[in-house]
Amino acid sequence: MTVTVPTDGPWLDDAAGRLIRPYTVSGGRTRPTAELDLMSLVMATGATGQTYLGPEHGEALALCHGPTSVAEIAGHLRLPAVVTKILLSDLMDSGAVTVRPPHNFDNPSDCSLLEAVLDGLRRQL
């Protein structure tokens, strides 16, 4: 699916940001059609969707060239997570993206895992 997304114009303002309310982007919907976690990984399939999707869908799809988390996509789009989940579920329904659930960590407070993350962060600084 190829979608051209304008980077400026009537929908964006340098001072005010996005001029469209989030509920307008989602078509007034408040729940996605698929269960998505913030850590779910989304990737474009390359398939062309049969239905018309808006420019925000194109922006989201452009971010999915490699496995990208729902949270990261929401951050890049500068949209609330629930609105991003609705956009991504639309893309899933059209076959444009696939979603892989996050790994199930048996013990998220595992000390060795936390120490490895801390060591990695210290090396970055």
Side-chain angles (χ1 to χ4, degrees):
M1 175 182 285
T2 305
V3 178
T4 305
V5 179
T7 56
D8 59 355
W11 306 117
L12 297 173
D13 180 47
D14 290 336
R18 185 179 295 273
L19 298 177
I20 297 177
R21 299 277 185 211
Y23 63 83
T24 305
V25 172
S26 65
R29 295 172 291 156
T30 59
R31 295 207 169 119
T33 58
E35 191 70 31
L36 295 171
D37 187 88
L38 287 176
M39 298 305 295
S40 295
L41 296 177
V42 184
M43 187 162 178
T45 63
T48 304
Q50 300 297 325
T51 59
Y52 169 75
L53 300 174
E56 289 81 9
H57 290 89
E59 289 179 47
L61 185 60
L63 295 169
C64 300
H65 52 82
T68 310
S69 71
V70 172
E72 187 175 353
I73 294 167
H76 284 292
L77 294 177
R78 290 189 253 167
L79 286 172
V82 70
V83 174
T84 303
K85 288 179 182 182
I86 292 169
L87 295 175
L88 293 173
S89 68
D90 291 344
L91 290 170
M92 282 177 58
D93 294 343
S94 71
V97 298
T98 59
V99 177
R100 188 176 75 210
H103 293 289
N104 186 9
F105 293 109
D106 293 331
N107 185 3
S109 61
D110 180 20
C111 286
S112 62
L113 174 64
L114 295 174
E115 287 175 4
V117 170
L118 184 59
D119 290 341
L121 290 172
R122 285 183 179 148
R123 276 186 252 130
Q124 294 296 321
L125 298 175

